[in-house]
Amino acid sequence: AGSRFPVDSRALCVLTWVKTGYVHLRIHWERDTLTSMAEADSFDLEQYASRYRPPHGRLVRLKFIASNSERLELEAIRILFRELKKGKNTSMYKEVFSMANGRIPEEKLFDSEWHKGIESQGQLNHASLQGELENNRAQQITRSILMSTKNLAEYYYGRGDFANALKYYKKILKVDTLNNLTLSETQLAICGTYVQLNDFEGIRHQIALMEQTPEAFTESAVVARVRCYSGLAAFVKGDYYEAAKEFSQIKLDPERDSKVAIEETLAFDDIALYGGLCGLATFTRAELETNIIKNEDFRKFLELVPEVREMIMDFYNSEYARSLSYLERMKHDLALDLYLSPHVDALCGMEPQTETELLNLAQVAEGIPTHRLFQERSARKA
Protein backbone atom coordinates (compact mmCIF):
# COMPACT_ATOMS: atom_id res chain seq x y z
CA ALA A 1 0.00 0.00 0.00
CA GLY A 2 2.83 2.36 0.83
CA SER A 3 4.40 2.04 -2.61
CA ARG A 4 1.06 2.48 -4.36
CA PHE A 5 0.02 5.53 -2.32
CA PRO A 6 3.19 7.09 -0.87
CA VAL A 7 2.93 9.07 2.36
CA ASP A 8 5.46 11.79 3.10
CA SER A 9 6.36 12.02 6.79
CA ARG A 10 5.48 15.72 6.65
CA ALA A 11 2.14 15.21 4.94
CA LEU A 12 -0.99 13.14 5.09
CA CYS A 13 -2.52 12.28 1.73
CA VAL A 14 -6.24 12.22 2.16
CA LEU A 15 -9.09 10.95 0.00
CA THR A 16 -12.13 13.01 0.93
CA TRP A 17 -15.62 11.78 0.18
CA VAL A 18 -18.55 14.21 0.06
CA LYS A 19 -22.32 13.88 -0.03
CA THR A 20 -22.64 13.69 -3.82
CA GLY A 21 -20.43 10.63 -3.88
CA TYR A 22 -17.51 11.98 -5.86
CA VAL A 23 -13.93 12.09 -4.70
CA HIS A 24 -11.64 15.02 -4.05
CA LEU A 25 -7.96 14.36 -3.88
CA ARG A 26 -6.42 16.66 -1.30
CA ILE A 27 -3.16 16.92 0.48
CA HIS A 28 -2.44 18.29 3.91
CA TRP A 29 0.96 19.37 5.00
CA GLU A 30 2.08 21.19 8.10
CA ARG A 31 2.45 24.96 7.83
CA ASP A 32 6.19 24.83 8.25
CA THR A 33 6.52 22.80 5.05
CA LEU A 34 5.46 25.85 3.07
CA THR A 35 9.01 27.04 3.54
CA SER A 36 10.43 23.89 2.00
CA MET A 37 7.99 24.21 -0.88
CA ALA A 38 9.24 27.69 -1.61
CA GLU A 39 12.86 26.64 -1.57
CA ALA A 40 12.66 24.08 -4.37
CA ASP A 41 15.75 24.34 -6.56
CA SER A 42 13.82 23.78 -9.78
CA PHE A 43 11.97 27.10 -9.71
CA ASP A 44 13.09 29.21 -12.70
CA LEU A 45 12.43 32.76 -11.57
CA GLU A 46 13.43 34.44 -14.84
CA GLN A 47 11.11 32.22 -16.83
CA TYR A 48 8.31 32.71 -14.32
CA ALA A 49 8.62 36.51 -14.42
CA SER A 50 8.67 36.55 -18.22
CA ARG A 51 5.09 35.23 -18.31
CA TYR A 52 3.74 38.56 -17.11
CA ARG A 53 3.51 41.73 -19.11
CA PRO A 54 5.38 44.68 -17.63
CA PRO A 55 5.31 46.88 -15.81
CA HIS A 56 3.22 46.10 -12.76
CA GLY A 57 2.14 42.46 -13.12
CA ARG A 58 5.74 41.32 -13.23
CA LEU A 59 6.77 43.62 -10.38
CA VAL A 60 4.11 42.60 -7.85
CA ARG A 61 4.75 38.89 -8.35
CA LEU A 62 8.51 39.30 -8.00
CA LYS A 63 8.02 41.41 -4.89
CA PHE A 64 5.78 38.71 -3.39
CA ILE A 65 8.41 36.04 -4.01
CA ALA A 66 11.15 38.25 -2.57
CA SER A 67 9.07 38.62 0.58
CA ASN A 68 8.20 34.92 0.90
CA SER A 69 11.21 32.90 -0.22
CA GLU A 70 14.50 33.17 1.59
CA ARG A 71 16.40 31.33 -1.13
CA LEU A 72 14.89 33.31 -4.02
CA GLU A 73 14.80 36.67 -2.26
CA LEU A 74 18.01 38.19 -3.62
CA GLU A 75 17.47 36.88 -7.14
CA ALA A 76 13.96 38.35 -7.12
CA ILE A 77 15.27 41.68 -5.87
CA ARG A 78 17.93 41.78 -8.60
CA ILE A 79 15.28 41.23 -11.26
CA LEU A 80 13.06 43.82 -9.58
CA PHE A 81 15.79 46.45 -9.80
CA ARG A 82 16.32 45.63 -13.47
CA GLU A 83 12.61 45.82 -14.29
CA LEU A 84 12.03 48.95 -12.23
CA LYS A 85 14.75 50.81 -14.11
CA LYS A 86 12.79 50.15 -17.32
CA GLY A 87 9.72 51.93 -15.95
CA LYS A 88 8.63 54.92 -13.93
CA ASN A 89 7.52 53.49 -10.60
CA THR A 90 9.85 55.39 -8.26
CA SER A 91 7.78 54.60 -5.16
CA MET A 92 8.29 50.86 -5.61
CA TYR A 93 11.97 51.48 -6.32
CA LYS A 94 12.26 52.99 -2.84
CA GLU A 95 10.50 49.96 -1.32
CA VAL A 96 12.75 47.48 -3.12
CA PHE A 97 15.87 49.45 -2.22
CA SER A 98 14.83 49.20 1.42
CA MET A 99 14.20 45.45 1.02
CA ALA A 100 17.65 44.96 -0.50
CA ASN A 101 19.30 46.61 2.51
CA GLY A 102 22.66 46.82 0.74
CA ARG A 103 22.79 43.10 -0.11
CA ILE A 104 22.87 43.62 -3.91
CA PRO A 105 26.41 44.80 -4.76
CA GLU A 106 25.43 46.73 -7.89
CA GLU A 107 22.55 48.43 -6.05
CA LYS A 108 24.18 49.30 -2.73
CA LEU A 109 23.74 53.00 -3.38
CA PHE A 110 20.39 54.64 -4.03
CA ASP A 111 20.32 55.63 -7.72
CA SER A 112 19.58 59.29 -7.18
CA GLU A 113 20.33 60.22 -10.78
CA TRP A 114 17.78 57.77 -12.20
CA HIS A 115 15.22 58.65 -9.53
CA LYS A 116 15.62 62.39 -10.05
CA GLY A 117 15.40 62.02 -13.83
CA ILE A 118 12.16 60.02 -13.65
CA GLU A 119 10.63 62.44 -11.15
CA SER A 120 11.59 65.51 -13.19
CA GLN A 121 10.30 64.05 -16.44
CA GLY A 122 7.16 62.92 -14.64
CA GLN A 123 6.44 66.41 -13.39
CA LEU A 124 6.86 67.82 -16.89
CA ASN A 125 4.61 65.17 -18.41
CA HIS A 126 1.96 65.69 -15.75
CA ALA A 127 1.93 69.46 -16.24
CA SER A 128 1.62 69.01 -20.00
CA LEU A 129 -1.21 66.47 -19.72
CA GLN A 130 -3.06 68.53 -17.13
CA GLY A 131 -2.76 71.66 -19.26
CA GLU A 132 -4.02 69.79 -22.30
CA LEU A 133 -7.05 68.53 -20.37
CA GLU A 134 -7.91 72.00 -19.07
CA ASN A 135 -7.60 73.46 -22.56
CA ASN A 136 -9.90 70.83 -24.03
CA ARG A 137 -12.41 71.38 -21.25
CA ALA A 138 -12.41 75.10 -21.98
CA GLN A 139 -13.14 74.37 -25.64
CA GLN A 140 -15.72 71.73 -24.69
CA ILE A 141 -14.41 69.20 -27.21
CA THR A 142 -15.78 65.93 -25.84
CA ARG A 143 -13.57 63.59 -27.85
CA SER A 144 -10.45 65.53 -26.91
CA ILE A 145 -11.50 65.66 -23.25
CA LEU A 146 -11.86 61.87 -23.24
CA MET A 147 -8.43 61.39 -24.79
CA SER A 148 -6.78 63.78 -22.34
CA THR A 149 -8.49 62.11 -19.39
CA LYS A 150 -7.36 58.69 -20.60
CA ASN A 151 -3.80 59.97 -21.04
CA LEU A 152 -3.76 61.21 -17.45
CA ALA A 153 -5.16 57.91 -16.18
CA GLU A 154 -2.44 56.00 -18.04
CA TYR A 155 0.21 58.42 -16.76
CA TYR A 156 -0.78 57.73 -13.14
CA TYR A 157 -1.03 54.00 -13.81
CA GLY A 158 2.47 53.94 -15.27
CA ARG A 159 3.83 55.74 -12.22
CA GLY A 160 2.19 53.23 -9.87
CA ASP A 161 -0.28 55.82 -8.54
CA PHE A 162 -3.28 53.55 -8.90
CA ALA A 163 -5.68 55.61 -6.79
CA ASN A 164 -5.38 58.58 -9.13
CA ALA A 165 -5.42 56.30 -12.18
CA LEU A 166 -8.73 54.88 -10.98
CA LYS A 167 -10.14 58.34 -10.41
CA TYR A 168 -9.41 59.44 -13.99
CA TYR A 169 -10.59 56.19 -15.57
CA LYS A 170 -13.89 56.61 -13.74
CA LYS A 171 -14.21 60.17 -15.05
CA ILE A 172 -14.32 58.75 -18.56
CA LEU A 173 -17.42 56.73 -17.67
CA LYS A 174 -19.29 59.89 -16.73
CA VAL A 175 -19.55 60.83 -20.40
CA ASP A 176 -22.94 59.75 -21.78
CA THR A 177 -21.89 59.44 -25.43
CA LEU A 178 -19.23 56.74 -25.10
CA ASN A 179 -19.07 54.23 -27.92
CA ASN A 180 -19.00 50.55 -27.02
CA LEU A 181 -15.26 50.17 -27.64
CA THR A 182 -14.33 53.05 -25.33
CA LEU A 183 -16.81 51.84 -22.71
CA SER A 184 -15.50 48.27 -22.65
CA GLU A 185 -11.83 49.25 -22.72
CA THR A 186 -12.33 51.74 -19.88
CA GLN A 187 -14.27 49.24 -17.75
CA LEU A 188 -11.52 46.67 -18.25
CA ALA A 189 -8.84 49.23 -17.42
CA ILE A 190 -10.70 49.96 -14.19
CA CYS A 191 -10.73 46.24 -13.36
CA GLY A 192 -6.99 46.06 -14.01
CA THR A 193 -6.43 49.05 -11.73
CA TYR A 194 -8.51 47.44 -8.99
CA VAL A 195 -6.24 44.40 -9.24
CA GLN A 196 -3.21 46.59 -8.54
CA LEU A 197 -5.06 48.11 -5.59
CA ASN A 198 -5.84 44.60 -4.36
CA ASP A 199 -9.51 45.61 -4.31
CA PHE A 200 -11.36 42.56 -5.62
CA GLU A 201 -14.72 43.71 -4.32
CA GLY A 202 -14.21 46.71 -6.58
CA ILE A 203 -13.80 44.32 -9.51
CA ARG A 204 -17.00 42.49 -8.65
CA HIS A 205 -18.85 45.81 -8.44
CA GLN A 206 -17.41 46.92 -11.78
CA ILE A 207 -18.44 43.67 -13.47
CA ALA A 208 -21.96 44.15 -12.12
CA LEU A 209 -21.96 47.56 -13.84
CA MET A 210 -20.76 45.97 -17.07
CA GLU A 211 -23.75 43.65 -17.03
CA GLN A 212 -25.99 46.73 -17.36
CA THR A 213 -24.54 47.42 -20.83
CA PRO A 214 -24.15 43.95 -22.38
CA GLU A 215 -24.01 45.40 -25.89
CA ALA A 216 -20.49 46.71 -25.13
CA PHE A 217 -19.20 43.28 -24.16
CA THR A 218 -19.96 40.99 -27.09
CA GLU A 219 -16.53 40.72 -28.72
CA SER A 220 -14.94 37.39 -27.75
CA ALA A 221 -11.61 38.76 -26.50
CA VAL A 222 -13.43 41.31 -24.32
CA VAL A 223 -15.70 38.62 -22.86
CA ALA A 224 -12.63 36.49 -22.12
CA ARG A 225 -10.95 39.36 -20.26
CA VAL A 226 -14.09 39.95 -18.21
CA ARG A 227 -14.13 36.26 -17.25
CA CYS A 228 -10.46 36.47 -16.24
CA TYR A 229 -11.18 39.30 -13.83
CA SER A 230 -14.40 37.71 -12.59
CA GLY A 231 -12.68 34.37 -12.04
CA LEU A 232 -9.79 35.96 -10.18
CA ALA A 233 -12.13 38.00 -7.97
CA ALA A 234 -14.10 34.86 -7.08
CA PHE A 235 -10.91 32.90 -6.47
CA VAL A 236 -9.39 35.50 -4.14
CA LYS A 237 -12.65 35.64 -2.19
CA GLY A 238 -12.55 31.85 -1.78
CA ASP A 239 -15.52 31.11 -4.04
CA TYR A 240 -13.71 28.26 -5.80
CA TYR A 241 -16.74 26.84 -7.56
CA GLU A 242 -17.57 30.19 -9.17
CA ALA A 243 -13.89 30.68 -10.05
CA ALA A 244 -13.77 27.25 -11.70
CA LYS A 245 -16.86 28.07 -13.77
CA GLU A 246 -15.45 31.41 -14.92
CA PHE A 247 -11.97 30.14 -15.77
CA SER A 248 -13.29 27.06 -17.57
CA GLN A 249 -15.50 29.22 -19.81
CA ILE A 250 -12.68 31.47 -21.06
CA LYS A 251 -12.40 31.20 -24.83
CA LEU A 252 -8.93 32.27 -25.91
CA ASP A 253 -6.28 30.66 -28.05
CA PRO A 254 -2.91 30.96 -26.24
CA GLU A 255 -1.12 31.28 -29.59
CA ARG A 256 -3.54 33.37 -31.61
CA ASP A 257 -4.56 35.65 -28.74
CA SER A 258 -1.11 36.13 -27.20
CA LYS A 259 -1.53 39.91 -27.18
CA VAL A 260 -4.84 39.98 -25.32
CA ALA A 261 -4.23 42.34 -22.40
CA ILE A 262 -4.61 39.99 -19.46
CA GLU A 263 -0.97 39.03 -19.09
CA GLU A 264 -0.23 41.80 -16.61
CA THR A 265 -2.70 40.15 -14.23
CA LEU A 266 -2.80 36.50 -15.31
CA ALA A 267 -0.64 34.39 -17.58
CA PHE A 268 -2.39 31.78 -19.69
CA ASP A 269 -0.71 29.20 -17.45
CA ASP A 270 -2.58 30.68 -14.49
CA ILE A 271 -5.94 30.07 -16.15
CA ALA A 272 -5.09 26.38 -16.37
CA LEU A 273 -3.66 26.27 -12.85
CA TYR A 274 -6.41 28.20 -11.03
CA GLY A 275 -9.24 26.76 -13.10
CA GLY A 276 -7.90 23.22 -12.91
CA LEU A 277 -7.34 23.22 -9.15
CA CYS A 278 -10.67 24.91 -8.42
CA GLY A 279 -12.48 22.51 -10.74
CA LEU A 280 -10.82 19.49 -9.17
CA ALA A 281 -11.74 20.78 -5.71
CA THR A 282 -15.38 21.67 -6.36
CA PHE A 283 -16.79 20.14 -9.56
CA THR A 284 -18.78 16.95 -9.50
CA ARG A 285 -17.44 14.17 -11.68
CA ALA A 286 -19.92 15.10 -14.42
CA GLU A 287 -18.98 18.78 -14.22
CA LEU A 288 -15.29 17.92 -14.29
CA GLU A 289 -15.83 15.91 -17.46
CA THR A 290 -17.94 18.59 -19.17
CA ASN A 291 -16.18 21.77 -18.07
CA ILE A 292 -12.57 20.60 -17.95
CA ILE A 293 -11.79 17.29 -19.63
CA LYS A 294 -14.04 17.59 -22.71
CA ASN A 295 -13.84 21.37 -22.94
CA GLU A 296 -11.67 22.00 -26.01
CA ASP A 297 -11.16 25.69 -25.14
CA PHE A 298 -9.91 24.95 -21.64
CA ARG A 299 -7.75 22.06 -22.81
CA LYS A 300 -5.71 24.59 -24.82
CA PHE A 301 -4.69 26.15 -21.52
CA LEU A 302 -4.04 22.77 -19.93
CA GLU A 303 -1.57 21.98 -22.70
CA LEU A 304 0.58 24.82 -21.33
CA VAL A 305 0.77 23.17 -17.91
CA PRO A 306 1.17 19.42 -18.49
CA GLU A 307 1.40 18.69 -14.77
CA VAL A 308 -2.11 20.08 -14.18
CA ARG A 309 -3.48 18.29 -17.23
CA GLU A 310 -2.02 14.92 -16.17
CA MET A 311 -3.05 15.41 -12.54
CA ILE A 312 -6.67 15.96 -13.60
CA MET A 313 -6.69 13.10 -16.08
CA ASP A 314 -5.14 10.66 -13.60
CA PHE A 315 -7.65 11.70 -10.98
CA TYR A 316 -10.54 11.26 -13.40
CA ASN A 317 -9.21 7.84 -14.38
CA SER A 318 -8.96 6.80 -10.70
CA GLU A 319 -5.14 6.86 -10.75
CA TYR A 320 -5.10 8.66 -7.42
CA ALA A 321 -1.51 7.91 -6.40
CA ARG A 322 -0.15 9.17 -9.68
CA SER A 323 -2.41 12.22 -9.55
CA LEU A 324 -1.06 12.98 -6.10
CA SER A 325 2.53 12.72 -7.32
CA TYR A 326 1.93 15.63 -9.72
CA LEU A 327 0.48 17.75 -6.92
CA GLU A 328 3.45 16.87 -4.74
CA ARG A 329 5.86 18.13 -7.41
CA MET A 330 3.85 21.30 -7.99
CA LYS A 331 3.33 22.41 -4.42
CA HIS A 332 6.41 24.64 -4.11
CA ASP A 333 5.18 26.62 -7.13
CA LEU A 334 1.75 26.98 -5.53
CA ALA A 335 3.28 28.51 -2.41
CA LEU A 336 5.11 31.11 -4.50
CA ASP A 337 2.06 32.24 -6.45
CA LEU A 338 0.79 35.69 -5.48
CA TYR A 339 -2.90 34.74 -5.55
CA LEU A 340 -2.77 31.00 -4.95
CA SER A 341 -0.49 30.98 -1.92
CA PRO A 342 -3.12 32.11 0.63
CA HIS A 343 -5.45 29.35 -0.62
CA VAL A 344 -3.06 26.40 -0.56
CA ASP A 345 -4.51 24.99 2.64
CA ALA A 346 -8.11 25.51 1.52
CA LEU A 347 -7.67 23.98 -1.94
CA CYS A 348 -5.12 21.29 -1.18
CA GLY A 349 -5.44 20.72 2.53
CA MET A 350 -7.76 19.71 5.30
CA GLU A 351 -7.55 18.59 8.87
CA PRO A 352 -5.62 15.32 8.66
CA GLN A 353 -7.27 11.99 9.34
CA THR A 354 -5.27 9.26 11.05
CA GLU A 355 -2.45 7.72 9.09
CA THR A 356 -3.84 4.28 9.89
CA GLU A 357 -7.12 5.09 8.16
CA LEU A 358 -5.22 6.59 5.25
CA LEU A 359 -3.15 3.46 4.72
CA ASN A 360 -6.20 1.20 5.03
CA LEU A 361 -8.04 3.24 2.43
CA ALA A 362 -5.00 3.35 0.16
CA GLN A 363 -5.08 -0.43 -0.06
CA VAL A 364 -8.41 -0.29 -1.86
CA ALA A 365 -8.05 3.08 -3.61
CA GLU A 366 -6.53 2.18 -6.97
CA GLY A 367 -8.76 0.76 -9.65
CA ILE A 368 -12.02 1.23 -7.77
CA PRO A 369 -14.65 3.52 -9.35
CA THR A 370 -15.48 6.73 -7.53
CA HIS A 371 -18.92 5.64 -6.30
CA ARG A 372 -17.41 2.42 -4.89
CA LEU A 373 -14.82 4.45 -2.97
CA PHE A 374 -17.63 6.45 -1.39
CA GLN A 375 -19.40 3.23 -0.42
CA GLU A 376 -16.13 1.75 0.90
CA ARG A 377 -15.49 4.64 3.22
CA SER A 378 -19.11 4.75 4.38
CA ALA A 379 -18.92 1.04 5.22
CA ARG A 380 -15.68 1.52 7.16
CA LYS A 381 -17.15 4.44 9.12
CA ALA A 382 -20.23 2.38 9.93
Side-chain angles (χ1 to χ4, degrees):
S3 62
R4 297 168 66 192
F5 202 84
V7 182
D8 190 286
S9 61
R10 299 165 303 172
L12 289 177
C13 309
V14 183
L15 293 174
T16 306
W17 287 260
V18 295
K19 292 181 180 180
T20 52
Y22 60 92
V23 181
H24 291 292
L25 179 63
R26 299 189 174 197
I27 185 168
H28 172 86
W29 55 86
E30 301 299 334
R31 290 186 179 275
D32 58 4
T33 63
L34 287 175
T35 301
S36 64
M37 288 190 218
E39 306 312 318
D41 293 333
S42 61
F43 194 83
D44 189 332
L45 192 54
E46 287 279 7
Q47 183 182 31
Y48 176 79
S50 69
R51 297 177 188 171
Y52 303 98
R53 187 165 55 88
H56 305 300
R58 190 172 296 177
L59 295 178
V60 294
R61 287 180 178 267
L62 285 167
K63 187 179 175 186
F64 176 81
I65 291 173
S67 300
N68 289 276
S69 171
E70 184 177 348
R71 189 186 71 80
L72 293 173
E73 179 187 12
L74 294 184
E75 183 184 0
I77 290 175
R78 284 192 182 93
I79 301 174
L80 274 167
F81 275 125
R82 184 187 71 203
E83 295 297 323
L84 282 163
K85 294 290 184 71
K86 297 177 184 177
K88 302 173 183 178
N89 193 337
T90 52
S91 60
M92 185 177 283
Y93 174 79
K94 290 180 180 178
E95 294 177 30
V96 173
F97 183 80
S98 178
M99 290 173 65
N101 196 26
R103 291 174 295 165
I104 308 297
E106 61 272 28
E107 298 288 349
K108 278 192 173 183
L109 297 177
F110 188 85
D111 194 338
S112 300
E113 183 178 353
W114 173 82
H115 184 271
K116 183 178 180 180
I118 295 295
E119 287 293 312
S120 298
Q121 187 61 49
Q123 291 173 8
L124 290 174
N125 289 344
H126 181 266
S128 174
L129 292 170
Q130 191 67 50
E132 182 181 280
L133 176 59
E134 291 172 1
N135 182 58
N136 289 329
R137 282 174 174 167
Q139 297 184 46
Q140 297 183 339
I141 306 173
T142 301
R143 185 175 179 180
S144 298
I145 292 172
L146 287 174
M147 182 59 67
S148 297
T149 305
K150 180 184 177 183
N151 289 342
L152 266 170
E154 291 176 346
Y155 162 81
Y156 283 119
Y157 188 88
R159 293 300 309 274
D161 185 349
F162 303 116
N164 272 316
L166 183 64
K167 180 174 74 174
Y168 278 88
Y169 278 129
K170 286 188 172 183
K171 286 183 178 182
I172 297 174
L173 297 181
K174 294 180 180 179
V175 177
D176 295 329
T177 57
L178 293 180
N179 60 46
N180 286 341
L181 177 62
T182 302
L183 178 60
S184 63
E185 289 298 322
T186 303
Q187 294 270 33
L188 289 168
I190 289 173
C191 286
T193 307
Y194 273 130
V195 169
Q196 300 305 324
L197 289 167
N198 205 35
D199 183 354
F200 292 95
E201 281 303 315
I203 292 176
R204 296 167 77 93
H205 174 71
Q206 203 63 38
I207 290 174
L209 293 178
M210 293 181 194
E211 292 171 352
Q212 298 176 15
T213 54
E215 65 277 4
F217 299 92
T218 57
E219 200 262 321
S220 60
V222 172
V223 173
R225 290 166 66 187
V226 173
R227 289 200 181 281
C228 284
Y229 288 124
S230 180
L232 183 60
F235 178 65
V236 169
K237 186 182 179 183
D239 188 347
Y240 304 131
Y241 183 73
E242 182 65 25
K245 288 198 299 182
E246 291 290 345
F247 286 129
S248 64
Q249 293 179 57
I250 292 171
K251 299 182 185 297
L252 287 173
D253 188 316
E255 294 183 7
R256 185 193 66 213
D257 300 316
S258 60
K259 294 184 179 180
V260 173
I262 62 168
E263 298 96 328
E264 190 171 4
T265 300
L266 295 175
F268 290 122
D269 303 50
D270 296 328
I271 296 173
L273 180 61
Y274 299 175
L277 286 175
C278 288
L280 198 58
T282 62
F283 281 161
T284 65
R285 187 176 182 83
E287 288 172 324
L288 189 68
E289 180 178 8
T290 301
N291 297 324
I292 301 291
I293 294 172
K294 293 186 177 180
N295 181 341
E296 291 300 321
D297 292 307
F298 192 75
R299 284 187 67 88
K300 292 176 183 177
F301 298 116
L302 286 177
E303 292 302 315
L304 301 175
V305 192
E307 296 90 345
V308 176
R309 180 195 65 208
E310 295 304 313
M311 179 179 67
I312 292 171
M313 291 307 301
D314 284 340
F315 179 85
Y316 182 75
N317 292 323
S318 301
E319 297 287 347
Y320 303 115
R322 198 158 61 189
S323 180
L324 175 64
S325 72
Y326 284 105
L327 186 58
E328 184 74 15
R329 290 196 294 270
M330 289 167 54
K331 61 185 184 180
H332 71 278
D333 289 5
L334 307 186
L336 291 172
D337 185 275
L338 173 65
Y339 299 116
L340 183 54
S341 180
H343 301 274
V344 166
D345 284 339
L347 279 173
C348 304
M350 58 178 292
E351 287 302 313
Q353 300 177 23
T354 67
E355 188 167 349
T356 299
E357 180 185 8
L358 167 67
L359 294 175
N360 288 337
L361 292 171
Q363 292 175 356
V364 298
E366 291 197 27
I368 298 178
T370 298
H371 71 279
R372 291 265 317 274
L373 285 171
F374 173 70
Q375 293 167 356
E376 177 70 24
R377 185 173 188 268
S378 297
R380 287 175 181 271
K381 287 296 185 183

